[in-house]
Amino acid sequence: MGLLFLAEWLLPLLLLCAPLSHASPAKSYVVYLGPHKQGAEVTERDIDAVRTSHYNLLGSILGSERAHQSIIYSYTHYINGFAAVLDDAEAAEIAKNPNVLSVFPNKAKELHTTRSWHFLGLEKDGGVIRPDSIWEKARFGEDTIIANLDTGVWPESASFSDEGFGPIPSRWKGICQQGIKDKFPCNRKLIGVRYFDKGYIAEGGIVTAENATARDFAGHGSHTLSTAGGNFVHNVSIYGFAKGSAKGGSPSARVAAYKVCWPPVSEDQGGCFDADILAAFDTAIADGVDVISFSVGGDPSEFFSDSIAIGSFHAVAKGIPVVASASNSGPKAGTVTNVAPWLFTIAASTLDREFRSYVALGNRTHLVGTSFSARGLPAEKFYPLITAVDAKAANATITDAILCKPGTLDPNKVKGKILICLRGLTPRLDKGVQARKAGAVGMILANDEADGEETKPDPHVLPVSHINYRDGLTVYAYYASTRSPVAYITRARTVLDTKPAPFVAKFSSRGPNTIEPAILKPDITAPGVDVIAAYTEAPDPEQPYEPILPYNLLSGTSMSCPHVSGIVGLIRTAYPKWSPAAIKSAIMTTAVSRDNRKLPILDSSFKKANAFDYGAGHIRPSHVLDPGLVYDLGRYDYINFLCGRGYTTSMIRVFEDEPYTCPPKFSISNFNYPSITIPGLRNWTAVYRRVTNVGPPGKYVARVDEPEGVAVSVRPSVLVFKETGEEKEFNVVFKTKAGVRTGEYVYGSLVWSDGKHIVRSPLVVRHQ
């Protein structure tokens, strides 16, 4: 993408054009000055000098006193810059300074079990660890430090017990930050916590003495951190379902929590702000973490004005892999977030486990729904059935009543019956609360057409079965066909080895990458539906119908992300010298694009999924320690990528502190990514890749599954490696066949194999 297309992202230039008026209200901005040039050993004197330089820089515009009042963060470790409360004119003025590389608003981001590890092939039936498991080979992630940027952590959870752990690794430089009123208990497992709230407060968020702590009151951070690096915890049960063990991907890892997410400031604004996120990245790198897990995201933006892209670049440049969620805005195309090529972006898919509750209708029709309800119906008999429309209160509208909104149901009509509610607008759990308040003995929750096939098991307060759109039509048709409709709902039960699995979750965001279409995103998919992991034990006064559960069931790309973070932690333990790109390649090229029926992976509507849904495929942890070949990348490969996007010298200074001259020609199509995407094929093109042998000597032969309407050839088609660490280059030529339709993406794959290893790369092509 050339500079003409980057124009809309050049906020500093736009700010320069703004009228110099102080009439605009003050808001917070991030003022970014680039990487630090400090050495590895940074003293407090060095840090104080950096802070002073920030005050002096802003003081040249606002005056010394105002500058000290305005700055809310100084980034002093690996990221050089500060966050400050400014009005638009002041932001425009500071952007004129030649030392300032970018100025961007402090925007909000949003938060985007244990069957999962059995499903991923690390256990046999009954939770027995396989002797050849990556857990055993990688020493369960021993002493790898996994950081989680999220809503904090519930430290008392058994998932973070330090029983059996030795001394904290000496390279750890972090702290256990105490809250104002909360004496936070870190230990040898949960070795550090910090919280970052200044950016949140600057944008109207309220932090009281009670919640000024890294403690997790939302549950999201505890869930994600325990999935990535929590202990093995036995006898986990939620309402008697999913009995067994809760496990983290790297159970012997040390973990650290960086709280950057707070309650949403408003209905249309999240609670995870750029200024806090950037501060957390800067601090985590300095603290000495080995992996960063990040289940947060916002609307994609150009990399030099994206706090996540900037912070994660500095981490990756220091050899720290950053694993991020793809977001939950699917299934619409182009919704994937966290799209920088140095990020490892994770989609979400299902397990082979369901929590089923069956619906029996009076006409002998039986339907399969989902539920996590603790209760069963009072007796094993049919109960009268009524729709929420027929049960509406006199003053309620049909539109509100069909959704079972508060105050829309008439208890005289509902009492003793099974109520049919439509999913949408209000929380699913609250619909059950309203049904019980009105006297219903049970509820059938039916999807509308937009929600389609995807159903959710929830811990409802009464017997509930959540059914898909097609079955909902069946229920409504039966209800209309008889004067005395009746139904029965079975107790919820756990069903294992379900098929097909995995399939891509409806909520999981899809490609293509809207910032750089030549980079396939998401990168891979992992379990993210109905995942059981640690949770907060703090009561939620706004949702009193939700019980307090030490372990809870959640879905989202937020849940799939830490599964991969845990696997990354295992690889770091086994191969501490591998680069973040090599680790990513090992996971991507060993992924599988088929489900447990040995058929192509489907989406939630049971249609064939593609690389924009799942990236390289579904993760296979048992293969990642022996990938055969990897596509490696270093810091300057990423800089050349930015050159290929048309970044100027000043833009590149956002990421590289030393003067850098871009190569005369660099095509992004030749960026050494493990997937190959051609967003605009005209007649023919050739792309180049480089692979490194991380296995024994061997001969690899290329095999291509051609995308529809594209002829693909590989030159050379055979690569012979005589030693470990040897590199070989090859090119892939794409030619358009006659009669193809333009404007559509088609999909294929390139596989290198030596008879033992299968190194698979997705091919994604759009005819132009």
Side-chain angles (χ1 to χ4, degrees), residues 432-453:
V433 170
Q434 302 309 318
R436 189 174 74 168
K437 282 182 178 179
V441 295
M443 179 179 74
I444 297 173
L445 179 60
N447 277 355
D448 60 13
E449 187 172 9
D451 288 309
E453 301 299 307

Side-chain angles (χ1 to χ4, degrees), residues 574-658:
Y575 303 120
K577 294 184 179 180
W578 276 18
S579 70
I583 293 172
K584 180 196 288 190
S585 176
I587 293 175
M588 289 177 65
T589 59
T590 57
V592 63
S593 61
R594 293 184 175 268
D595 60 25
N596 57 359
R597 306 167 304 163
K598 309 299 182 184
L599 296 174
I601 292 176
L602 306 177
D603 64 16
S604 61
S605 297
F606 296 151
K607 297 177 182 178
K608 185 178 178 180
N610 59 53
F612 285 148
D613 302 322
Y614 54 63
H618 191 260
I619 190 171
R620 289 198 296 175
S622 57
H623 290 69
V624 300
L625 290 185
D626 187 22
L629 308 176
V630 296
Y631 295 80
D632 207 356
L633 290 162
R635 180 189 188 110
Y636 292 106
D637 292 302
Y638 294 120
I639 298 297
N640 287 339
F641 165 83
L642 298 174
C643 292
R645 282 188 53 73
Y647 273 36
T648 64
T649 301
S650 62
M651 293 176 187
I652 289 174
R653 282 181 56 211
V654 172
F655 303 94
E656 175 55 38
D657 55 351
E658 298 295 332

Side-chain angles (χ1 to χ4, degrees), residues 145-194:
I145 302 172
I146 300 177
N148 193 41
L149 277 58
D150 211 296
T151 63
V153 63
W154 193 263
E156 291 84 4
S157 171
S159 289
F160 308 115
S161 166
D162 67 352
E163 183 177 354
F165 280 81
I168 295 171
S170 59
R171 69 184 187 280
W172 172 248
K173 299 177 182 178
I175 64 171
C176 186
Q177 184 180 5
Q178 300 298 296
I180 293 177
K181 289 189 175 181
D182 184 15
K183 301 304 179 185
F184 203 95
C186 294
N187 57 34
R188 292 170 298 175
K189 170 70 174 180
L190 178 60
I191 61 176
V193 299
R194 297 180 189 257

Side-chain angles (χ1 to χ4, degrees), residues 197-403:
D197 59 3
K198 296 176 182 177
Y200 174 69
I201 293 171
E203 291 300 312
I206 298 174
V207 177
T208 64
E210 283 69 25
N211 65 7
T213 169
R215 184 172 293 276
D216 179 16
F217 296 104
H220 192 275
S222 301
H223 200 281
T224 52
L225 184 56
S226 67
T227 301
N231 297 324
F232 286 0
V233 181
H234 300 287
N235 301 318
V236 170
S237 176
I238 305 178
Y239 289 137
F241 301 116
K243 291 181 179 178
S245 301
K247 298 179 174 69
S250 288
S252 293
R254 314 302 176 115
V255 295
Y258 296 78
K259 184 173 180 176
V260 298
C261 295
W262 305 83
V265 172
S266 62
E267 290 184 3
D268 59 350
Q269 192 174 36
C272 319
F273 281 84
D274 286 324
D276 299 328
I277 290 169
L278 206 55
F281 268 115
D282 189 39
T283 305
I285 297 168
D287 284 347
V289 306
D290 297 308
V291 180
I292 294 176
S293 189
F294 189 68
S295 293
V296 179
D299 293 336
S301 61
E302 189 54 52
F303 305 131
F304 63 75
S305 61
D306 181 347
S307 66
I308 298 171
I310 293 171
S312 60
F313 180 91
H314 290 293
V316 170
K318 295 297 180 182
I320 305 169
V322 181
V323 187
S325 53
S327 96
N328 303 326
S329 301
K332 187 177 178 181
T335 51
V336 63
T337 66
N338 295 325
V339 295
W342 45 87
L343 282 167
F344 199 178
T345 309
I346 316 303
S349 46
T350 62
L351 310 177
D352 62 343
R353 176 191 63 196
E354 295 178 2
F355 302 104
R356 290 182 179 172
S357 176
Y358 297 85
V359 175
L361 301 179
N363 63 358
R364 299 185 178 181
T365 298
H366 294 81
L367 308 172
V368 180
T370 58
S371 183
F372 218 62
S373 301
R375 298 171 175 81
L377 288 170
E380 293 186 2
K381 67 175 186 177
F382 282 99
Y383 289 83
L385 190 65
I386 188 170
T387 67
V389 171
D390 284 348
K392 81 177 189 70
N395 61 345
T397 65
I398 292 176
T399 302
D400 288 343
I402 197 172
L403 296 170

Side-chain angles (χ1 to χ4, degrees), residues 346-551:
I346 316 303
S349 46
T350 62
L351 310 177
D352 62 343
R353 176 191 63 196
E354 295 178 2
F355 302 104
R356 290 182 179 172
S357 176
Y358 297 85
V359 175
L361 301 179
N363 63 358
R364 299 185 178 181
T365 298
H366 294 81
L367 308 172
V368 180
T370 58
S371 183
F372 218 62
S373 301
R375 298 171 175 81
L377 288 170
E380 293 186 2
K381 67 175 186 177
F382 282 99
Y383 289 83
L385 190 65
I386 188 170
T387 67
V389 171
D390 284 348
K392 81 177 189 70
N395 61 345
T397 65
I398 292 176
T399 302
D400 288 343
I402 197 172
L403 296 170
C404 295
K405 289 185 175 182
T408 62
L409 302 172
D410 186 342
N412 294 322
K413 300 175 182 177
V414 175
K415 187 175 181 179
K417 299 176 182 177
I418 293 175
L419 181 69
I420 307 169
C421 289
L422 191 67
R423 180 182 180 182
L425 293 184
T426 59
R428 298 184 302 274
L429 285 171
D430 189 54
K431 294 178 190 292
V433 170
Q434 302 309 318
R436 189 174 74 168
K437 282 182 178 179
V441 295
M443 179 179 74
I444 297 173
L445 179 60
N447 277 355
D448 60 13
E449 187 172 9
D451 288 309
E453 301 299 307
E454 188 177 67
T455 60
K456 299 281 188 181
D458 293 307
H460 289 281
V461 296
L462 79 170
V464 172
S465 185
H466 183 181
I467 60 176
N468 62 32
Y469 173 65
R470 290 178 300 171
D471 289 346
L473 294 178
T474 299
V475 171
Y476 281 111
Y478 162 69
Y479 181 83
S481 70
T482 178
R483 292 184 178 180
S484 302
V486 293
Y488 178 74
I489 300 173
T490 68
R491 282 184 175 272
R493 62 193 67 176
T494 303
V495 180
L496 304 178
D497 301 313
T498 60
K499 292 181 174 61
F503 61 82
V504 181
K506 179 185 177 183
F507 59 75
S508 186
S509 290
R510 268 55 170 190
N513 184 335
T514 56
I515 300 300
E516 181 44 73
I519 299 296
L520 177 64
K521 291 288 180 173
D523 290 308
I524 202 165
T525 189
V529 177
D530 302 336
V531 176
I532 297 173
Y535 205 61
T536 181
E537 295 182 45
D540 186 348
E542 295 184 1
Q543 300 185 40
Y545 48 80
E546 290 196 5
I548 295 175
L549 299 170
Y551 289 82

Side-chain angles (χ1 to χ4, degrees), residues 11 20 91 106 199 236 424 443 516 565 661 722 758:
L11 179 59
L20 193 58
N106 174 32
V236 170
M443 179 179 74
E516 181 44 73
S565 302
T661 302
K722 297 181 179 180
I758 296 176

Side-chain angles (χ1 to χ4, degrees), residues 13-143:
L13 297 183
L14 294 178
L15 289 171
L16 290 176
C17 299
L20 193 58
S21 165
H22 292 267
S24 62
K27 29 188 200 221
S28 50
Y29 287 85
V30 174
V31 180
Y32 182 62
L33 304 173
H36 272 299
K37 298 181 180 180
Q38 302 178 108
E41 296 299 324
V42 180
T43 66
E44 282 299 321
R45 184 175 181 179
D46 295 328
I47 292 174
D48 287 341
V50 172
R51 289 197 187 101
T52 300
S53 70
H54 295 163
Y55 289 129
N56 290 341
L57 176 60
L58 189 59
S60 66
I61 295 173
L62 304 184
S64 178
E65 184 176 351
R66 276 278 318 281
H68 279 75
Q69 294 172 348
S70 177
I71 291 180
I72 57 177
Y73 282 117
S74 274
Y75 308 125
T76 59
H77 298 288
Y78 294 92
I79 299 168
N80 189 10
F82 56 88
V85 177
L86 308 167
D87 63 30
D88 290 344
E90 292 165 344
E93 188 67 18
I94 195 71
K96 295 177 182 178
N97 190 294
N99 295 314
V100 173
L101 301 182
S102 62
V103 178
F104 51 90
N106 174 32
K107 294 181 180 178
K109 305 291 192 290
E110 296 180 352
L111 291 164
H112 282 211
T113 10
T114 309
R115 178 73 177 179
S116 52
W117 301 110
H118 179 283
F119 182 55
L120 291 174
L122 303 189
E123 298 175 326
K124 297 179 181 179
D125 292 338
V128 178
I129 298 171
R130 294 180 181 273
D132 61 345
S133 166
I134 185 178
W135 276 333
E136 294 281 4
K137 293 178 180 177
R139 307 191 309 278
F140 297 90
E142 181 182 18
D143 285 347

